[in-house]
């Protein structure tokens, strides 16, 4: 029996065809070796738990599609973080990982079916792993790749079996708990361009003790990954606009920029902004700032993991099992130097750093040669000595250095339990687990708004003639913001700001179950039914502690953060059954009913606010095998996702988001009386109509926020398919499954564009729900500015999501020349996405994101994607070739009719083909070496510009997490085992 498919629980001796259980799986890598029919004799087998069911019966198969990813395949692709491997499977899209920079929170996640990481449940040996943050996300970097035996992926709802979060599916990491001996593994990789180095080392030791009553395994691993900057690749060296590939950097430049037009300063390009030269004069806008070279295509990482697994036979019928996990993961992201980003500043017009020309331009805004009245109270034609002007000011601050975010996640988890026989055929299990993650975030080289404002208001001391601060408190240093290179080192140190936040997440789970045979057997069946019943109690809590500057919003570049103190407690009870209805009959080799139900009682606590609710989940389905070669399977499941700690506990928090079009920007409202009136009613000053600046580099300010009154999401998942294993073609397995996942009551953070569109195109009422979510910059009417400006995208139960498609898996293995030339194993696994529907609210349009990417469809979702592998094994040599295909992806504004293809230089990302080639050679019983080339043909990502889509996904002019930005990559490894 091929042990590689199942989580070992207990052993028994029985005779059964391994093919029966293999038929339940869609093997997503090269196929496993099946037991031939003539070998179906008395074998020592294991009772098994296939992911997607808690029932332990070797003759009953899983009826939800399960893909199995083997450790050997993961190793042959050179993977050091398993997230990198999972994002390439056709059932997933790229989540957060090493290629995400601006928006990376220091973790690595998996996103099944493009439904979001929060809807994918991550397990280790069938039990929840400790989250790394208050969103409930598991950092996959903390799971030791070298200890993984396989990964089982269930795509589709599994809440009736595992509880909340399993709407999109389950990823279950099975550890090598039966390892014996000593194994050391080392791997080094480097790109063809000499960067992106990765070093990975691990040691695993295992063996029996106490006269073979116990077994223990210990694994320790270390990974060191180096950074690759966007300046290291030609395609990402310069920031490009998506429309015409013109310089698409930031309006916040080192010259210092004032948002607005002034009659005495030419505006030849209609930039609606002016710059300063080095002498403090106002000049036409000098051009955007290229932020790309500072940003990363690959984030640096250092991690340590340590995992201990142990079992001990307390008696002949009772076994103790345990796992202790520790991980420390450090990730650093780097973005361009901070700036003032058009925050509102008060500028004194007697500032000695301003030239007379600049003062004249600022105070004679209509260009009539007379000082404007607001700056000349006594009407003497001279600017008042105490006159001030409020400006929306953007000054890039390279003098401070790059903005670095340093994330350190330290997690540990302890799992312990007992299992044994209650009676013949009945197995009991009780367990408890506790996990805690401390997440430290340091944000360095930002700027303090209060000190920048204080330092800007410089005056000339009437006694000494020195330039000093108007308010000298706190050791103020006057800052010359006006002109590139004019900020002194001392002034830069004064306004610089470092910030910190500490998050503590705890998880406690206690549970128990009974599983075994039902006390009934239908006359038409040769075996009795099986059941599993049990309970779980789970408590999760999070405390997020940002420093005072983050809380107050005094940080300009990193925004703000708010304290979170939230927890939830849930009691869950579940039952599951599989009942053979007919077996060994004509046209009914097997007909099995599969059903399950779970009830969960939640209580959420946020400060003094409590909210409780109860939800039910269930599944019903089964299988029909008319003949032994062919099995049909189907399942309907009601799955849920309860709101996580961040969603219930995050107060309203200023941040940044994405926006393509502001209807009030530029000339849009001019000549449109209705739109003009609405823009004015929502915060644009009448004099600013026609001159409001649009989003800066595709970004605006926003407000994030949770909601303690949120209710669970509910989904309906339907799968239907078949598995074909023809006896006439040994080694061939074909699995085809249709899936449909529909989610209602979706907890959604509205897309900023959706809020804006709803206000100006649908509601058209300043007092409407969505118009009330818009707070414009009081100085210039834009959606960029201080912490009082932005679009409120706080969470609501309002959205609808649906995805459906078809999965196909084909595996075929055969010997060459009766084995004299080795063996070939072929595998194909692919997905066709029929639709991926999303709608932020009932009255908004439903968007189909299949085959699209952009500001609405953030993560590219190719309609067709597949992996095809070929493995040739000849004696001690194994050669492995993987081909990954991604079909074309179109910009969503083009697909939705909001833009024409002619509006973009590159509106479509063409289909991509990637090939990876690797080989391993076993030198002797103790040593195996391996080497490989990833991205064999050095395919470069398609350049689309930086504002083609969302900030986190679309960076460096490309989509670096989806389309490899590193290029041809070599790795070398050695494994020694004793």
């Amino acid at each position: 029996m091929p042990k590689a498919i199942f989580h070992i629980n207990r052993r028994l001796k029985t005779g059964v065809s391994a093919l029966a259980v293999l038929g339940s799986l869609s093997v997503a890598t090269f196929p496993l070796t099946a037991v031939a029919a003539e070998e179906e004799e008395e074998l020592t087998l294991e009772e098994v738990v296939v992911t997607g069911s808690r029932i332990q019966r070797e003759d009953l198969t899983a009826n939800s599609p399960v893909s199995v990813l083997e450790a050997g395949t993961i190793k042959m692709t050179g993977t050091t973080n398993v997230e990198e491997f999972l994002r390439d499977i056709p059932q997933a899209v790229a989540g957060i990982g090493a290629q995400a920079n601006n928006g990376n929170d220091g973790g690595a996640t998996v996103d099944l079916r493009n439904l979001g990481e929060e809807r994918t449940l991550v397990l280790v040996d069938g039990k929840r792993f400790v989250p790394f943050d208050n969103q409930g996300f598991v950092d996959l970097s903390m799971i030791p790749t070298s200890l993984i035996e396989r990964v089982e992926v269930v795509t589709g709802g599994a809440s009736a079996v595992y509880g909340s979060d399993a709407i999109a599916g389950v990823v279950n990491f099975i550890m090598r708990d039966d390892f014996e001996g000593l194994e050391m593994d080392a791997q080094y990789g480097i790109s063809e361009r000499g960067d992106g180095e990765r070093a990975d080392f691990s040691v695993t030791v295992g063996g029996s003790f106490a006269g073979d009553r116990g077994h223990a395994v210990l694994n320790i691993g270390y990974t060191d990954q180096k950074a690759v900057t966007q300046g290291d690749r030609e395609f990402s060296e310069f920031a490009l606009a998506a429309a015409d590939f013109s310089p698409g950097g930031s309006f916040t430049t080192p010259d210092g920029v004032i948002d607005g037009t002034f009659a005495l300063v030419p505006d030849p390009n209609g930039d609606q902004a002016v710059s300063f030269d080095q002498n403090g004069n106002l000049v036409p806008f000098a051009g955007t700032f290229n932020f790309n070279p500072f940003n990363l295509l690959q984030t640096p990482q250092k991690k340590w993991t340590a995992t201990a697994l142990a079992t001990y036979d307390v008696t002949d019928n009772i076994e103790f099992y345990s796992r202790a996990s520790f991980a420390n993961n450090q990730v650093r992201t780097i973005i361009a130097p901070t700036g003032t980003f058009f925050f509102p500043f008060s500028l004194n017009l007697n500032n000695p750093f301003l030239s007379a020309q600049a003062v004249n331009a600022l105070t004679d805004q209509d260009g009539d040669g007379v000082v404007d009245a607001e700056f000349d109270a006594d009407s003497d034609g001279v600017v008042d000595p105490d006159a001030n002007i409020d400006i929306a000011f953007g000054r890039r601050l390279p003098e401070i250095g790059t903005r670095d975010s340093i994330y350190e996640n330290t997690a540990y988890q302890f799992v312990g339990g007992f299992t044994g026989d209650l009676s013949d055929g009945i197995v009991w299990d009780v367990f408890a687990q506790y996990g805690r993650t401390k997440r430290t975030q340091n944000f360095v080289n930002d700027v303090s708004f209060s000190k920048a404002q204080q330092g800007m208001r410089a005056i000339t001391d009437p006694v000494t003639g020195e330039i000093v601060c108007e308010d000298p408190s706190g050791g103020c240093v006057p800052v010359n913001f006006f002109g590139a290179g004019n900020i002194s080192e001392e002034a830069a140190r004064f306004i610089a700001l470092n910030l910190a936040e500490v998050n503590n997440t705890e998880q406690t789970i206690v549970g128990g179950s009974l599983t075994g045979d039902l006390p009934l057997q239908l006359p038409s069946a040769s075996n009795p039914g099986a059941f599993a019943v049990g309970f779980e109690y789970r408590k999760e809590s999070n405390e997020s502690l940002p420093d005072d500057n983050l809380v107050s919003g005094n940080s300009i570049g990193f925004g703000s953060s708010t304290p979170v103190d939230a927890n939830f407690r849930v009691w869950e009870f579940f039952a599951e059954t599989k009942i053979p209805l007919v077996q060994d009959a004509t046209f009914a080799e097997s007909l099995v009913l599969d059903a399950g139900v779970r009830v969960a009682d939640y209580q959420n606590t946020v400060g003094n606010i409590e909210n409780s609710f109860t939800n039910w989940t269930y599944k019903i389905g089964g299988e029909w095998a008319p003949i032994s070669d062919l099995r049909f399977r189907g399942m309907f499941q009601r799955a849920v996702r309860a709101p996580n700690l961040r969603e219930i506990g995050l107060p309203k928090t200023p941040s940044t988001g994405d926006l393509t079009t502001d209807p009030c920007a530029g000339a849009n409202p001019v000549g449109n009386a209705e739109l003009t009136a609405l823009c004015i009613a929502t915060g644009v000053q009448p004099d600013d109509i026609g001159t409001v600046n649009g989003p800066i580099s595709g970004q605006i300010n926003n407000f994030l926020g949770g909601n303690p009154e949120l209710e669970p999401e509910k989904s309906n998942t339907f799968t239907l398919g078949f598995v074909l294993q023809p006896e006439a073609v040994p080694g061939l397995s074909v699995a085809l499954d249709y899936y449909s996942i529909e989610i209602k009551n979706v907890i959604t953070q509205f897309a900023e564009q959706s809020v804006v569109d709803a206000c100006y195109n649908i509601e058209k009422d300043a007092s409407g729900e969505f118009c009330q979510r818009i707070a414009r910059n009081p100085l210039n009417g834009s959606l960029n500015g201080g912490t009082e400006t932005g679009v409120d995208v706080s969470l609501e139960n309002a959205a609808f999501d649906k995805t459906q498609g078809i999965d196909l898996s084909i595996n075929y293995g055969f010997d060459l020349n009766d084995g004299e030339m080795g063996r070939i194993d072929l595998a194909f696994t692919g997905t066709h996405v029929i639709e991926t529907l999303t709608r932020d609210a009932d009255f908004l349009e439903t968007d189909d994101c299949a085959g699209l990417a952009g500001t609405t469809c953030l993560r590219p979702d190719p309609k067709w994607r597949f992996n095809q592998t070929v493995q040739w094994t000849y004696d001690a040599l194994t050669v492995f070739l993987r081909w990954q295909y991604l079909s074309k992806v179109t910009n969503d504004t083009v697909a939705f009719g909001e833009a024409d293809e002619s509006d973009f230089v590159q509106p479509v990302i063409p289909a991509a083909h990637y090939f990876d080639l690797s080989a391993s050679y076993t030198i002797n019983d103790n040593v195996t070496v391996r080497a490989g080339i990833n991205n064999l043909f050095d395919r470069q990502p398609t350049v689309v510009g930086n504002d083609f889509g969302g900030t986190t996904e679309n960076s460096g002019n490309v989509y670096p997490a989806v389309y490899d930005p590193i290029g041809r990559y070599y790795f070398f490894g050695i494994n020694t085992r004793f």
Side-chain angles (χ1 to χ4, degrees):
M1 170 107 179
K3 169 185 171 294
I5 312 178
F6 310 108
H7 170 48
I8 302 169
N9 192 299
R10 301 182 65 255
R11 291 179 172 82
L12 74 162
K13 195 172 185 181
T14 185
V16 64
S17 168
L19 296 176
V21 188
L22 274 170
S24 70
L25 305 172
S26 300
V27 183
T29 62
F30 56 86
L32 306 170
T33 304
V35 179
E38 59 269 20
E39 295 173 347
E40 293 177 19
E41 53 187 77
E42 290 260 314
L43 300 174
T44 300
L45 302 177
E46 293 109 2
E47 278 191 350
V48 297
V49 179
V50 178
T51 302
S53 174
R54 294 180 182 270
I55 290 176
Q56 303 177 25
R57 270 270 295 274
E58 78 287 345
D59 63 313
L60 296 177
T61 56
N63 293 306
S64 293
V66 182
S67 296
V68 178
L69 313 173
E70 287 298 309
T73 304
I74 297 173
K75 193 176 291 291
M76 291 293 278
T77 58
T79 300
T80 56
N81 283 324
V82 73
E83 170 270 331
E84 299 169 11
F85 186 87
L86 287 174
R87 72 184 180 201
D88 289 341
I89 67 175
Q91 299 93 334
V93 298
I96 299 299
Q99 276 65 55
N101 184 47
N102 191 357
N104 188 332
D105 55 6
T109 61
V110 58
D111 181 1
L112 294 177
R113 302 299 191 199
N114 200 19
L115 292 173
E117 295 96 326
E118 64 272 29
R119 297 177 186 92
T120 298
L121 179 61
V122 175
L123 308 174
V124 173
D125 285 335
K127 292 181 169 54
R128 289 176 182 260
F129 197 71
V130 59
F132 82 93
D133 70 352
N134 52 28
Q135 298 180 85
F137 295 170
V138 170
D139 183 1
L140 300 185
S141 298
M142 295 183 170
I143 297 173
T145 306
S146 58
L147 195 59
I148 294 173
E149 180 175 292
R150 68 192 178 280
V151 185
E152 296 174 356
V153 180
V154 178
T155 49
S159 291
V161 178
Y162 296 109
S164 179
D165 307 334
I167 283 180
V170 176
V171 178
N172 189 12
F173 295 90
I174 309 300
M175 300 290 104
R176 294 192 293 166
D177 58 358
D178 60 346
F179 177 82
E180 294 189 359
L182 170 65
E183 179 181 83
M184 293 178 287
D185 193 271
Q187 181 173 296
Y188 173 79
I190 189 170
S191 80
E192 188 171 88
R193 292 157 181 81
D195 56 16
E197 296 171 276
R198 297 180 186 178
D200 186 77
F201 307 93
S202 69
V203 177
T204 306
V205 60
S208 299
F209 61 90
D212 290 336
R213 295 182 69 88
H215 190 274
V217 178
L218 174 65
N219 173 273
I220 297 175
Y222 174 73
T223 299
D224 185 2
Q225 176 175 276
K226 304 301 183 183
V228 177
T229 71
Q230 294 180 7
D232 292 330
R233 297 293 184 269
E234 290 184 5
F235 58 78
S236 57
E237 185 176 1
F238 299 99
L240 303 175
D244 57 4
F245 285 1
S246 61
S250 172
F251 271 65
T252 302
T253 75
D255 307 286
V257 180
I258 294 179
D259 183 6
T261 57
F262 300 89
L264 300 182
V265 182
D267 187 14
N269 299 316
D271 293 308
Q272 301 167 7
V274 292
S275 300
F276 287 93
D277 65 16
Q278 288 190 319
N279 297 316
N281 297 313
L282 278 178
V283 296
F285 180 68
T288 56
F289 172 75
N290 179 26
F291 49 70
N292 269 26
F294 304 93
N295 290 316
L296 299 178
L297 290 173
Q298 178 172 288
T299 57
Q301 177 194 38
K302 290 185 179 181
K303 70 168 180 175
W304 285 94
T305 61
T307 304
L309 305 167
T311 60
Y312 181 75
D313 291 334
V314 181
T315 69
D316 291 342
N317 292 319
I318 300 176
E319 179 186 77
F320 170 75
Y321 60 89
S322 64
R323 172 172 56 83
S325 298
F326 168 83
N328 178 267
N329 185 37
Q330 301 176 47
V331 173
R332 190 184 196 107
T333 66
I334 302 173
I335 56 178
T338 192
T340 59
F341 299 118
F342 297 96
F343 268 51
F345 284 84
S346 174
L347 174 63
N348 57 306
L349 290 168
N350 63 345
N351 192 306
F353 294 130
L354 289 176
S355 70
Q357 179 266 356
V359 173
N360 190 27
L362 292 171
T363 58
D364 182 11
Q365 295 185 15
D366 56 9
D368 62 0
V370 178
V371 177
D372 296 341
E374 62 183 296
F375 308 111
D376 182 15
D378 55 10
S379 301
D380 63 355
V382 178
V383 177
D384 297 336
D386 60 350
N388 300 293
I389 185 173
D390 293 330
I391 57 174
F393 185 61
R395 169 58 152 87
R396 185 71 58 169
L397 301 168
E399 296 90 346
I400 293 178
T402 58
R403 277 173 290 168
D404 295 8
S405 301
I406 306 165
Y407 302 97
E408 183 172 4
N409 295 332
T410 302
Y412 57 85
Q413 185 180 50
F414 303 99
V415 179
F418 293 89
T419 183
D421 294 328
L422 185 64
S423 62
D424 187 32
I426 304 294
V427 177
W428 59 270
D429 180 85
V430 293
F431 73 94
Q433 60 185 77
Y434 173 80
R436 179 182 175 91
T437 300
K438 180 178 181 180
R439 183 166 179 250
T440 302
Q441 305 167 78
N442 289 289
F443 309 107
V444 301
N445 298 334
D446 199 6
V447 59
S448 162
F449 173 69
S450 60
K451 288 187 176 182
Q453 174 64 87
Q454 186 183 9
M456 177 182 285
R457 294 188 65 86
I459 60 173
T460 301
D461 189 299
V463 177
T464 65
E466 296 179 349
I467 298 177
V468 296
C469 294
E470 183 181 68
D471 173 13
S473 64
C476 179
V477 177
V479 185
N480 184 0
F481 285 101
F482 313 113
N486 285 342
I487 297 179
S488 67
E489 182 179 349
E490 184 183 12
R493 287 199 302 270
F494 173 68
I495 63 175
L497 180 65
N498 295 334
L499 307 114
E501 179 171 344
V502 176
N503 304 152
N504 294 308
T505 301
E506 292 189 11
Q507 180 191 74
T508 302
I509 304 176
V510 177
S513 65
L514 289 174
T515 182
D517 295 340
L518 288 170
L520 60 89
Q521 178 177 326
L522 296 178
S524 55
S526 55
N527 291 305
F531 77 95
V533 295
F535 78 95
E536 284 186 4
Y537 168 79
R538 177 162 55 101
K539 179 181 179 180
E540 295 192 10
S541 61
N542 175 264
E543 182 182 44
S544 297
L545 303 171
D547 67 19
D548 291 343
N549 282 298
L550 280 170
V551 173
S552 66
N554 191 40
S555 160
I556 295 181
F558 284 114
S560 61
S561 182
T562 49
V564 174
D565 185 5
N567 69 75
F568 68 77
R569 300 173 298 283
V570 56
W571 280 95
E572 300 181 87
F573 299 90
F574 61 86
E576 184 181 0
T577 187
K578 293 183 180 181
I579 302 176
L581 303 177
V582 179
Q583 289 180 305
D584 303 322
T586 304
F587 296 112
E589 183 77 15
S590 175
L591 181 63
V592 178
L593 173 67
D594 188 344
V597 64
R598 174 182 289 255
V599 59
D601 184 52
Y602 275 84
Q603 184 171 6
N604 298 335
T605 303
V606 180
N608 295 321
I609 301 175
E610 291 191 356
N611 182 37
S612 61
F613 53 84
T614 300
N615 60 61
W616 291 80
T617 61
Y618 53 86
K619 67 172 184 174
I620 186 166
E623 67 168 63
W624 171 47
I627 58 176
S628 59
D629 293 358
L630 178 64
R631 186 172 68 90
F632 295 95
R633 60 189 177 189
M635 184 73 69
F636 173 82
Q637 302 193 56
R638 164 62 61 87
V640 300
R641 185 182 75 85
N644 60 46
L645 294 169
R646 179 183 177 87
E647 290 168 339
I648 63 174
L650 180 69
K652 188 174 179 179
T653 305
S655 186
T656 57
D658 301 310
L659 191 74
T660 301
T661 304
D662 178 1
C664 295
N668 292 334
V670 177
N672 185 332
E674 182 184 30
L675 180 57
T676 295
L678 185 55
C679 290
I680 293 172
T682 54
V684 178
Q685 297 299 315
D687 292 343
D688 289 331
I689 293 295
T691 64
V692 173
N693 275 336
I696 298 174
S697 302
Q699 286 190 305
I700 60 166
N701 288 33
N702 70 5
F703 300 98
L704 308 177
N707 180 353
E709 302 297 324
L710 289 172
E711 299 177 353
E713 300 175 346
K714 296 181 180 180
S715 75
N716 293 330
T717 297
F718 178 68
T719 59
L720 180 64
F722 69 84
V723 177
L724 174 65
Q725 291 178 307
E727 186 176 342
V729 187
L732 175 64
S733 174
V734 179
L736 179 71
D737 288 280
Y738 164 80
Y739 66 88
S740 173
I741 305 173
E742 179 180 303
I743 314 173
K744 298 179 179 179
N745 214 34
V746 174
I747 299 169
T748 185
Q749 174 183 306
F750 294 115
E752 290 80 6
Q753 192 69 60
S754 294
V755 174
V756 171
D757 290 347
C759 171
Y760 294 100
N761 299 331
I762 299 174
E763 288 180 335
K764 299 182 180 180
D765 179 2
S767 62
E769 175 187 353
F770 285 88
C771 288
Q772 287 292 304
R773 288 174 171 261
I774 296 172
R776 292 187 173 273
N777 189 323
L779 295 181
N780 55 29
S782 77
L783 293 172
N784 297 93
T787 55
E788 80 293 340
T789 296
V791 174
D792 186 350
V793 291
S794 297
L795 299 174
E796 299 282 351
N797 283 110
F800 164 84
D801 290 334
K802 181 180 180 180
T803 183
Q804 60 174 327
I806 296 173
D807 292 332
L808 174 64
S809 176
I810 305 173
N811 296 274
Y812 183 49
F814 56 91
D815 292 333
L816 293 175
N817 195 22
D818 293 329
E820 293 184 8
M821 295 299 295
R823 178 178 174 83
I824 294 289
D825 286 303
L826 305 172
F828 172 94
T829 179
T831 293
H832 170 52
V833 181
I834 298 173
E835 62 180 10
T836 302
L837 304 180
T838 183
R839 184 178 67 226
D840 276 353
D842 288 342
F843 62 87
L844 294 176
E845 292 185 1
T846 299
D847 297 320
D848 185 357
C849 286
L852 306 182
T855 54
T856 299
C857 308
L858 297 178
R859 291 175 175 171
D861 193 14
K863 286 187 176 182
W864 295 91
R865 45 198 191 239
F866 67 73
N867 289 337
Q868 196 274 320
T869 63
V870 181
Q871 178 177 289
W872 174 47
T873 305
Y874 181 68
D875 291 336
L877 174 67
T878 299
V879 179
F880 184 76
L881 176 67
R882 182 174 71 160
W883 170 24
Q884 182 188 12
Y885 171 77
L886 303 170
S887 65
K888 71 175 184 178
V889 172
T890 303
N891 182 268
D892 55 19
T893 60
V894 173
F896 299 153
E898 299 167 2
D900 295 326
E901 287 200 6
S902 59
D903 294 334
F904 294 86
V905 172
Q906 185 65 50
V908 175
I909 302 174
H913 300 261
Y914 291 99
F915 293 88
D916 304 324
L917 177 65
S918 60
S920 67
Y921 185 77
T922 301
I923 297 175
N924 54 44
D925 291 341
N926 304 116
V927 180
T928 300
V929 294
R930 64 183 181 275
I933 307 173
N934 290 338
N935 197 350
L936 182 64
F937 299 110
D938 199 28
R939 187 195 187 279
Q940 300 297 292
T942 299
V943 173
V944 294
N946 269 349
D947 50 0
F948 189 94
T951 302
T952 301
E953 295 81 11
N954 175 204
S955 181
N957 304 316
V958 298
Y959 280 85
V962 180
Y963 305 99
D964 175 33
I966 305 302
R968 188 178 290 120
Y969 193 86
Y970 305 97
F971 67 89
F972 315 89
I974 183 170
N975 181 281
T976 59
R977 184 168 179 172
F978 303 94

